[in-house]
Amino acid sequence: MLSDHPAMPCLAVRDLGRAREFYEQTLGFRRMEVPGLDDAEGMGVVYATKQGGMLVYPSSYAGTNQATAVTFQVPGDAFDAEVAALRSGGVEFQTFELPSGSWSDGVLTDGAMRSVWFADPDGNILNVETAAAAA
């Protein structure tokens, strides 16, 4: 069954060089070496995450997803530091209408959950939320 195997988020981008700059320099991701995936040929890059990786690859469909593409769950005591690091890297947070919660300076608080959303250069929407929301 597929549920027995790891899953990998895949993010389509128009310009792999621009995406690499954002994911590596702005967000601080570390590239993983993956056999058969040659970044030199522009095939894509896999970035390491705590439980696997995330593929960033070139596609003519980049920027067409208007929903959250990836959520990163961070411990509640690390949330403010992650948000501050994103801000210091020039990341701008998005806000939108939701049925509950309140916004303050780009951060949504809804009960114990705190969350921010932002886009990469191709419009892929990324989310950082407190791990308590996954409980």
Side-chain angles (χ1 to χ4, degrees):
M1 299 301 299
L2 289 177
S3 62
D4 295 332
H5 304 283
M8 179 182 293
C10 299
L11 299 174
V13 298
R14 286 183 203 94
D15 182 332
L16 189 56
R18 180 179 67 181
R20 285 192 62 179
E21 182 177 324
F22 179 77
Y23 284 96
E24 294 171 20
Q25 295 176 16
T26 303
L27 300 185
F29 277 96
R30 185 176 41 83
R31 198 174 121 219
M32 293 174 56
E33 295 296 326
V34 177
L37 185 65
D38 185 358
D39 178 39
E41 294 179 16
M43 296 172 62
V45 179
V46 175
Y47 291 110
T49 63
K50 183 175 181 173
Q51 295 180 331
M54 166 177 79
L55 172 65
V56 175
Y57 70 100
S59 170
S60 60
Y61 295 105
T64 60
N65 182 8
Q66 296 182 22
T68 302
V70 179
T71 293
F72 298 95
Q73 296 179 325
V74 301
D77 61 353
F79 181 81
D80 289 333
E82 290 290 342
V83 168
L86 291 167
R87 284 187 203 281
S88 71
V91 171
E92 295 182 20
F93 299 126
Q94 301 176 351
T95 61
F96 44 89
E97 293 295 320
L98 289 172
S100 64
S102 62
W103 294 97
S104 176
D105 198 23
V107 177
L108 172 71
T109 301
D110 191 357
M113 190 268 303
R114 296 174 66 211
S115 195
V116 294
W117 283 263
F118 60 95
D120 75 2
D122 288 291
N124 292 303
I125 300 170
L126 309 174
N127 168 244
V128 176
E129 70 179 24
T130 53

